[in-house]
Amino acid sequence: MATKDIAASRAAKGRAPHRRNEDARLAILGAADELLIERGFGGVTVEGIAARAGVSKQTIYRWWPSKIDILLDTLVEEADRRLKIPEDGAVVDAVRGYLRALARFLAKDDAGEILLALLGEAQHDAETAALFHERYLDPRRARERALLKRGIAEGELPAGLNPDTTLDALIGPIVYRALTGTKVSRPFVDALVDRVLEPTG
Amino acid sequence: MATKDIAASRAAKGRAPHRRNEDARLAILGAADELLIERGFGGVTVEGIAARAGVSKQTIYRWWPSKIDILLDTLVEEADRRLKIPEDGAVVDAVRGYLRALARFLAKDDAGEILLALLGEAQHDAETAALFHERYLDPRRARERALLKRGIAEGELPAGLNPDTTLDALIGPIVYRALTGTKVSRPFVDALVDRVLEPTG
Amino acid sequence: MATKDIAASRAAKGRAPHRRNEDARLAILGAADELLIERGFGGVTVEGIAARAGVSKQTIYRWWPSKIDILLDTLVEEADRRLKIPEDGAVVDAVRGYLRALARFLAKDDAGEILLALLGEAQHDAETAALFHERYLDPRRARERALLKRGIAEGELPAGLNPDTTLDALIGPIVYRALTGTKVSRPFVDALVDRVLEPTG
Amino acid sequence: MATKDIAASRAAKGRAPHRRNEDARLAILGAADELLIERGFGGVTVEGIAARAGVSKQTIYRWWPSKIDILLDTLVEEADRRLKIPEDGAVVDAVRGYLRALARFLAKDDAGEILLALLGEAQHDAETAALFHERYLDPRRARERALLKRGIAEGELPAGLNPDTTLDALIGPIVYRALTGTKVSRPFVDALVDRVLEPTG
DNA sequence: TTTTAATCGAGACGGTACGTCTCGTCTTAAA
DNA sequence: TTTAAGACGAGACGTACCGTCTCGATTAAAA
């Protein structure tokens, strides 16, 4: 979120003394994303991003500690925009809709590819794991948890239901299928919701 | 294709004239595993394996196309030995036992660490993904599927149950928790089995 | 000659934008030379030069296509400095002095060792032979030839004397002795000049 | 081919149980020579010789300490056969004939190529230098010296003539031209003999 | 209007690991 | 016992990126 803080503080003070080049920032995020899609994670190199974005390596290192952070910037922005946690309506329906959107995000969205790549990289590198939790998994989980808690509070879900257990039981299979390259069909998602959320249905 | 001739003559004559050095093989598998545990996936380099195993790089490249294959060798051997698919008894109990063993394998076994690392690397590299399916995921899934099919055939599980959907719903949450560094407790596993396998309970 | 072009353009523009590190250059030339003297041509490896010069291999490959070019750089610089072709005075005396200097250069100077090593390597490798001609033998021969031509023009040497034949007859024995590890004494050089250059004496 | 020939001749002779195989020896010498001509010194590898001669590497290492010794074997045999030191007749004529033969040997004979390659390698490696002297240069020089000494003894050459100086003055230019890829014409050789051996002509 | 300070592109640098190559030694089984 | 076959430890090759660093040049605020 360093990026945003900088932008914010700049805006707050009403001036941009030695201002960051927004064009360069977007070119870098875009180049990293494109390289990931075109060549896979191994093809995402700082050297390659710099070349494609028409930017010097130093400009990248000035603003991001590593290429992981670049990908995380895109993931967070895109997931916030395209994978919203619903806030109104019946909770079970909201969850079903959210999980369908998650399946679509993982299968069809470039940022979904980033999510899988970062989850993969987190297995190799503790620092990536920490950042990934801090900037993506944990904030999102907080909002997902709030949704389920509302369902419990409103009596739509059983009082004894453990939100995190439930969320992992719902999200886990979808992500696992994405990780193993298996199609995540709508019936698969729906059956999951039926079994996990409505066991006495 | 001298190689094939050799293999052929070996098979034909039932002997192995220029036999592979088993000590070196074990030293290499062991070194790769140790490096993964000690330094993470990034610390597993062919150079490092060679140094630790007291072996030349050429000996590694002679027998394994890549370091992925080295890790897969260990994973397959260890999983076959320590993560057996049960073949007798009540199917639901067998599945529960298998999933508990899986949780333990992922949390405590060096080979479990390999499994997570390879699943991670599969997100970065299509060739790894293919190898991982071919040598680990697919053969194992075949045996897991057979277990559930027996449950259906014997009437213990509902006739309409889809084995692959069910298996992903069971394994997915456990693996997802392991991937995100969350503890996989025994109650978590048991609750999963209860909800997914006995929804009408 | 890339080296010289760079230096030239730098001088021309009066600045050095992404300037080559002169310290590194000298360390590399020195390390190559030292290794040749200490361990022979086989001991001159890019890896070894890099280690001794405290430089990365990439820095070497950035500026020199091969280790031959490194040795040639030193040879050309040192020969230009310490094995000058005389430009004034009586030609026969000048030649005698030059050949004595050549004998000394081959026997006592580190760069003389390089000359012999490159002449040796030229027997193994056509590219080395071409480079050796282009950067050392041919330019030097041009200046040697000019010296003899002056002698002919000024009447000090017979009009019918063929400069290249004469030069090979003078230089050949000295180089041959150096190549075969035979001492090249001053009387040997003087006798050579007497017989070859003053046959009617 | 070579392999089969060996097998065939062995079969023909019945067998050659525990003695050195002359066919293999010739195949090895021939293969080394061919590789030198076809691919240059760098292309002469023990691995390559073994493959071409249809022989195992071990067989080569059993009989020759290095590939240098293989080439020396060929050089010595061929030079003895095709570059004889004349033993009768007028000494000056004999020397002239010998030097013409030397020029031809260096330019046209495969073994001449070996001579230049070994002289080159002697610049890189002291052991090669020692072997080259011991097996080729020194014995030959002894016979060349004897020829000149006969000329002095018989009064055909001046009493004060130093044989080694003279020989280096004669052979040096021819070898130097060969080493630098310059044509060694018959007039060049003749002029050399005239100037060096008959200075008062 | 001039500083002045942080940006930017370019790219050299010391490193590490890659995957390939050839070396010379060692091991096996057949002839 | 010698052979062909070939596995082995060793180590150099030339390449790709890493992350750091120094240049000029640009540019916009502050002086």
Side-chain angles (χ1 to χ4, degrees), chain C residues 23-96:
Chain C
D23 288 350
R25 185 182 149 265
L26 291 176
I28 289 164
L29 294 187
D33 204 1
E34 285 170 34
L35 286 169
L36 180 68
I37 302 307
E38 285 176 26
R39 307 196 200 165
F41 188 83
V44 182
T45 66
V46 173
E47 213 115 288
I49 295 169
R52 177 169 297 218
V55 134
S56 84
K57 284 165 64 181
Q58 190 52 47
T59 297
I60 296 177
Y61 285 112
R62 197 176 349 256
W63 299 109
W64 292 274
S66 79
K67 65 191 189 189
I68 297 299
D69 298 77
I70 301 175
L71 294 171
L72 263 172
D73 270 14
T74 299
L75 172 59
V76 168
E77 284 187 20
E78 294 304 302
D80 278 355
R81 179 175 312 148
R82 296 211 284 273
L83 191 59
K84 289 205 163 70
I85 282 103
E87 307 205 333
D88 340 277
V91 169
V92 171
D93 291 345
V95 167
R96 195 181 345 254

Side-chain angles (χ1 to χ4, degrees), chain D residues 118-133:
Chain D
L118 290 177
L119 188 48
E121 187 62 12
Q123 307 313 307
H124 298 160
D125 176 52
E127 204 170 329
T128 296
L131 274 170
F132 185 53
H133 265 277

